[in-house]
């Protein structure tokens, strides 16, 4: 007899109801959530429920109050930051896993797919020589990769930094355009945020390799532990690819761990026009990529790839634990005649929980698997080429217009530009106001960034819903608002 108050069945009925409101949301006919917050916010901000309203009323609230006031992120005209809405296959796969395999361990179909999808992802990103582990996002993926780097660097000095703690801080080299999760990783790993040595970039925002070389040489004479060199395969600000090959050569020359942050841009390797820029990737000791960016997975999926997962195990193991009885079971099995697992609980499968910082974790590979099953490598390639083409078109339109200035040309799917006019006194302030007005219209939703100190409008095309015709729309909207603003000056 069921005594628990929670509904544990009838997914078909409720998923269908939610599905209808989600489909409706995805028509993007609704205003921004804050436009009429007075109509919903107070209805949500209620005291802690004592009795609960039951599943039917709950689903009703989700459908009527919550979903219609969701995020602008999946909107096709949203081109801010580097984030996107999930495609249908990824939503279905993620939902399926949440029900049918709430953990990634134990030998289930989901567990097999976890590894298979990592192999597929490595192959399509040009790092088939590496083995992976999923985590929640680029932040954690960088942390895991640099944890591997730390382990490797200090083991060479005769220490186990994960077991014994750090004896002395070590240096990580990264460009001034690196994602700041590199610094945070250095902080968490006990290396120290300030020990990330920032290497200057050229005008386009790519690492100056001569400066890198000099920095390494001067630290080598000081006998400091050199932990890693980080290259960007697609910077967050401008989508630039560092000179991967040259950086790889320098790292190899000095025997320093070579990490490539490709959270956003690694799948850019599928665009044949850019392939050459990824040369050197095969020398990477670690690489990260975020399937929740260009692949369109529901948020919470990143992958770290390394040459040697045993190193990650030494960096991140929690040591054997009694409550993980199955790991002991697998060892006992070595002494018994019956070694082959015959039940999904006989074996945890690949110990991903020892390769990173999460024990309980969702099956993330299922989303990557579903996306690639659905559209294949060619489908993804087509998306990436289309988005890179959009940034190139934007660059072309902006270069051709007398009132627009390109601040950063298109390499991947980002192009930075601004409105200019001889009458504008403070361009940064003008751009800020123009951008706010643009956002308030709720038609085109790019973000901004600084390019060599100048504020720029920064669209990043990444979502499966982003199509070529949006580029002209954004350009026209910026010109229109810029004209209105200069006329009323
Ligand atoms: C987005 C991004 C990250 C951080 O990834 P999250 O998934 O947001 O944690 C790290 N590095 C680069 C280059 C990125 O673009």
């Amino acid at each position: 007899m069921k005594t628990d108050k929670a509904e544990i069945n009838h997914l078909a009925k409720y998923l269908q109801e939610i599905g209808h409101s989600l489909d409706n949301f995805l028509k993007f006919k609704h205003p921004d959530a804050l436009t009429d917050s007075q109509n919903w916010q107070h209805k949500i901000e209620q005291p802690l429920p004592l009795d609960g309203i039951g599943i039917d009323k709950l689903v009703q609230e989700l459908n009527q109050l919550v979903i219609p006031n969701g995020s602008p992120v999946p909107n096709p005209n949203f081109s801010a930051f580097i984030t996107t809405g999930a495609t249908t296959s990824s939503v279905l796969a993620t939902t399926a896993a949440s029900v049918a395999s709430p953990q990634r361990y134990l030998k289930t179909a989901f567990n097999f797919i976890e590894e298979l999808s990592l192999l597929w992802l490595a192959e399509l990103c040009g790092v088939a020589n590496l083995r992976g582990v999923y985590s929640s996002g680029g932040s954690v993926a960088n942390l895991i990769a640099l944890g591997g780097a730390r382990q490797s660097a200090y083991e060479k000095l005769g220490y186990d930094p994960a077991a014994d703690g750090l004896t002395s801080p070590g240096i990580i080299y990264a460009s001034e355009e690196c994602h700041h999760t590199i610094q945070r990783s250095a902080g968490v790993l006990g290396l120290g945020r300030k020990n990330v040595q920032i290497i200057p970039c050229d005008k386009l925002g790519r690492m100056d390799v001569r400066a890198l070389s000099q920095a390494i040489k001067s630290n080598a004479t000081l006998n400091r532990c050199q932990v890693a060199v980080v290259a960007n395969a697609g910077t967050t600000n401008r989508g630039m690819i560092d000179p991967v090959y040259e950086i790889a050569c320098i790292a190899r020359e000095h025997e320093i761990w070579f990490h490539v942050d490709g959270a956003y841009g690694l799948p850019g390797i599928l665009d044949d026009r850019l392939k050459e820029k990824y040369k050197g990737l095969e020398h990477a000791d670690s690489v990260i990529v975020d399937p929740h960016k260009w692949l369109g997975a529901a948020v919470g999926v990143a992958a770290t790839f390394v040459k040697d997962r045993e190193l990650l195990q030494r960096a991140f193991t929690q040591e054997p634990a009694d409550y993980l009885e199955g790991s002991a079971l697998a060892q006992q099995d070595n002494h018994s005649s019956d070694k082959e697992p015959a039940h999904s609980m006989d074996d945890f499968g690949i110990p991903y929980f020892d390769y990173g910082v999460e024990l309980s974790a969702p099956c993330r590979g299922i989303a990557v698997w579903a996306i690639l099953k659905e559209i294949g490598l060619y489908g993804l390639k087509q998306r990436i080429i289309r988005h890179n083409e959009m940034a190139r078109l934007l660059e072309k339109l902006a270069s051709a217009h007398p009132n627009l200035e390109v601040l950063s040309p298109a390499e991947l799917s980002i192009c930075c530009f601004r409105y200019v006019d001889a009458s504008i006194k403070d361009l940064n302030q003008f751009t800020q106001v123009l951008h706010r007005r643009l956002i308030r219209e709720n038609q085109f939703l790019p973000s901004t960034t600084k390019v060599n100190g100048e504020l720029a409008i920064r669209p990043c095309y990444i979502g499966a819903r982003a199509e070529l015709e949006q580029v002209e729309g954004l350009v026209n909207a910026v010109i229109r608002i810029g004209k209105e603003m200069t006329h009323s000056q």
Side-chain angles (χ1 to χ4, degrees):
M1 188 186 69
K2 177 182 173 304
T3 55
D4 200 279
K5 277 190 85 175
E7 173 60 62
I8 48 174
N9 288 306
H10 301 298
L11 280 166
K13 169 173 149 59
Y14 294 117
L15 283 176
Q16 192 177 32
E17 287 182 30
I18 295 275
H20 283 308
S21 358
L22 290 173
D23 278 342
N24 216 23
F25 177 77
L26 291 174
K27 291 178 185 151
F28 303 105
K29 298 268 166 58
H30 54 275
D32 178 66
L34 281 190
T35 304
D36 52 15
S37 58
Q38 73 281 0
N39 286 328
W40 56 265
Q41 206 172 336
H42 66 281
K43 294 184 192 156
I44 287 179
E45 286 172 347
Q46 296 284 318
L48 168 71
L50 295 182
D51 255 341
I53 57 175
I55 189 75
D56 286 303
K57 285 214 175 97
L58 168 78
V59 171
Q60 208 176 11
E61 284 207 7
L62 270 173
N63 286 337
Q64 291 172 3
L65 283 181
V66 185
I67 293 171
N69 297 302
S71 164
V73 167
N75 188 312
N77 285 310
F78 177 95
S79 59
F81 325 120
I82 309 181
T83 183
T84 182
T87 59
T88 301
S89 65
S90 129
V91 174
L92 298 179
T94 307
T95 307
S98 75
V99 177
S101 188
Q103 294 281 5
R104 60 183 162 174
Y105 54 73
L106 304 179
K107 286 249 170 205
T108 67
F110 289 88
N111 179 268
F112 285 114
I113 285 172
E114 196 84 345
E115 187 66 4
L116 177 68
S117 65
L118 283 164
L119 293 171
W120 285 0
L121 191 57
E123 185 183 335
L124 84 82
C125 289
V127 290
N129 56 322
L130 305 183
R131 291 294 169 270
V133 58
Y134 286 113
S135 60
S136 62
S139 312
V140 177
N142 272 332
L143 175 72
I144 294 172
L146 293 173
R150 182 188 72 168
Q151 195 67 22
S152 165
Y154 285 88
E155 281 184 359
K156 280 189 209 153
L157 299 176
Y159 304 108
D160 180 344
D164 302 326
L166 284 189
T167 46
S168 60
I171 310 166
I172 292 174
Y173 302 94
S175 91
E176 55 185 326
E177 289 284 288
C178 81
H179 198 275
H180 290 186
T181 52
I182 300 295
Q183 279 92 333
R184 180 163 59 197
S185 300
V188 173
L189 291 165
L191 298 163
R193 285 198 302 275
K194 289 182 180 159
N195 290 312
V196 175
Q197 188 159 338
I198 295 301
I199 307 299
C201 287
D202 63 12
K203 276 265 170 274
L204 287 174
R206 298 174 304 202
M207 186 190 272
D208 175 348
V209 285
R210 282 191 46 206
L212 171 68
S213 192
Q214 277 160 13
I216 294 177
K217 281 181 187 141
S218 55
N219 282 319
T221 58
L222 296 174
N223 247 340
R224 295 180 64 188
C225 180
Q226 316 216 49
V227 173
V229 175
V230 180
N232 290 296
T235 58
T236 314
N237 267 339
R238 300 189 234 170
M240 288 294 159
I241 302 165
D242 280 336
V244 175
Y245 183 73
E246 277 132 297
I247 298 172
C249 291
I250 294 172
R252 268 158 74 96
E253 183 192 335
H254 297 275
E255 293 178 24
I256 306 176
W257 182 280
F258 177 43
H259 173 59
V260 177
D261 184 348
Y264 152 51
L266 200 64
I269 198 171
L270 294 179
D271 185 337
D272 292 331
R273 300 170 296 187
L274 297 172
K275 226 182 184 96
E276 206 36 38
K277 303 214 176 226
Y278 292 82
K279 202 175 141 222
L281 197 58
E282 64 279 10
H283 299 305
D285 295 290
S286 58
V287 170
I288 72 154
V289 62
D290 273 7
H292 68 208
K293 288 179 174 168
W294 235 333
L295 269 70
V299 79
V301 190
T304 304
F305 291 101
V306 292
K307 282 187 181 150
D308 174 15
R309 283 193 295 209
E310 294 307 306
L311 181 74
L312 291 184
Q313 176 143 20
R314 296 200 294 283
F316 292 109
T317 183
Q318 43 178 344
E319 308 281 355
D322 290 341
Y323 43 81
L324 293 180
E325 168 237 4
S327 56
L329 190 83
Q331 277 162 16
Q332 284 162 18
D333 268 359
N334 287 335
H335 304 292
S336 79
S337 54
D338 178 24
K339 276 190 195 169
E340 280 300 304
H343 186 279
S344 61
M345 281 179 72
D346 283 349
D347 192 332
F348 274 111
I350 294 167
Y352 298 112
F353 47 76
D354 262 345
Y355 298 157
V357 293
E358 298 163 296
L359 173 54
S360 286
C363 296
R364 297 177 169 114
I366 191 71
V368 172
W369 174 86
I371 288 162
L372 294 175
K373 271 281 192 188
E374 185 202 5
I375 65 170
L377 182 144
Y378 291 152
L380 185 62
K381 186 181 173 112
Q382 185 203 56
R383 177 186 303 160
I384 283 155
I385 292 173
R386 177 176 87 247
H387 289 155
N388 290 347
E389 202 53 47
M390 289 171 75
R392 287 169 188 221
L393 174 64
L394 192 129
E395 183 188 337
K396 198 175 119 202
L397 294 175
S399 308
H401 195 280
N403 286 110
L404 296 178
E405 179 188 7
V406 174
L407 289 174
S408 179
E411 177 137 289
L412 288 166
S413 65
I414 298 172
C415 174
C416 300
F417 72 113
R418 66 179 171 185
Y419 187 88
V420 289
D421 187 89
S423 68
I424 302 168
K425 288 187 197 73
D426 183 340
L427 272 169
N428 279 357
Q429 201 217 343
F430 185 91
T431 307
Q432 185 86 71
V433 175
L434 188 152
H435 177 255
R436 271 301 123 199
R437 282 180 60 167
L438 181 68
I439 296 301
R440 294 291 164 83
E441 288 183 357
N442 203 35
Q443 250 312 304
F444 297 96
L445 305 166
S447 54
T448 60
T449 194
K450 283 258 174 88
V451 176
N452 302 318
E454 305 295 324
L455 194 70
I457 296 171
R458 173 196 168 280
C460 170
Y461 298 110
I462 192 95
R465 295 182 177 89
E467 296 286 348
L468 204 62
E469 59 265 20
Q470 290 161 228
V471 176
E472 216 172 331
L474 169 64
V475 167
N476 290 340
V478 169
I479 295 169
R480 173 176 48 75
I481 299 172
K483 286 226 156 82
E484 285 164 17
M485 282 173 62
T486 42
H487 288 160
S488 64
Q489 262 176 11

